[in-house]
């Protein structure tokens, strides 16, 4: 195996971990959606989203710059919010559809 | 700490891991960019991107559906490609800018 294949293999391993973590994060968002429904809280809480972005920028050591990290987490938050809303509206299954 | 705070704390922990992995993935992409430059290969290799998307869909156990996973990885690949191109054009610093 040359170095080229080695780096790609490492990317594939990281991607497996990313898929797991993104789904675990989504499960948390679904649970929060259920609780928001019980507590009659709104799905969209902009101050919490701002806090998430502050936290990830603080944790960022690069090489991705802060703008790139924010763009990625805006998408991650957006996908989580879709699932959370779905959970609030329907009682939301946790199974892949 | 109530359950609500507990789930948010878990999300914050996951986000710390995601930031680390996304940056580690980007470092791999920068290394690949350097090698592509040496080997005179193009930055954009659509068949490799298709392979990445097939791999992550295969690994996906939900609750994110396959379309959501693909949307997220299209963004992740896009940010990696920007850094990789930068590395090919400039010799690319690995430091956060």
């Amino acid at each position: 195996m040359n170095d080229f294949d080695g780096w790609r293999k490492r990317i594939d391993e990281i991607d497996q971990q990313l898929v797991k973590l993104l789904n675990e994060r989504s499960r948390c968002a679904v649970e929060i959606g259920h609780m928001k429904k019980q507590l009659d809280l709104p799905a969209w809480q902009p101050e919490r989203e701002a806090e998430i972005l502050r936290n990830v920028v603080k944790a960022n050591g690069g090489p991705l710059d802060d703008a790139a990290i924010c763009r990625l987490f805006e998408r991650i938050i957006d996908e989580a919010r879709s699932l959370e809303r779905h959970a609030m509206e329907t009682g939301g299954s946790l199974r892949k559809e």
Side-chain angles (χ1 to χ4, degrees), chain A residues 2-68:
Chain A
N2 60 34
D3 278 356
F4 203 77
D5 289 337
W7 288 111
R8 286 191 162 173
K9 191 162 174 287
R10 181 67 194 124
I11 283 181
D12 289 340
E13 288 166 358
I14 291 169
D15 285 351
Q16 300 288 311
Q17 295 178 62
L18 285 171
V19 170
K20 274 191 196 167
L21 284 170
L22 289 167
N23 275 310
E24 191 184 342
R25 193 188 194 287
S26 299
R27 277 190 290 275
C28 296
V30 169
E31 293 297 335
I32 288 173
H34 289 147
M35 273 181 264
K36 280 183 180 168
K37 192 180 181 182
Q38 288 175 340
L39 299 169
D40 206 23
L41 290 170
W44 189 49
Q45 300 195 307
E47 74 290 351
R48 170 61 180 156
E49 299 196 6
E51 181 187 46
I52 288 171
L53 294 180
R54 277 196 307 275
N55 286 344
V56 295
V57 163
K58 200 173 163 189
N60 183 31
L64 289 168
D65 64 20
D66 293 345

Side-chain angles (χ1 to χ4, degrees), chain A residues 53-82:
Chain A
L53 294 180
R54 277 196 307 275
N55 286 344
V56 295
V57 163
K58 200 173 163 189
N60 183 31
L64 289 168
D65 64 20
D66 293 345
I69 282 286
C70 283
R71 281 193 296 271
L72 288 171
F73 274 86
E74 279 162 5
R75 293 295 310 144
I76 290 169
I77 291 168
D78 196 51
E79 296 294 351
R81 192 167 49 218
S82 296

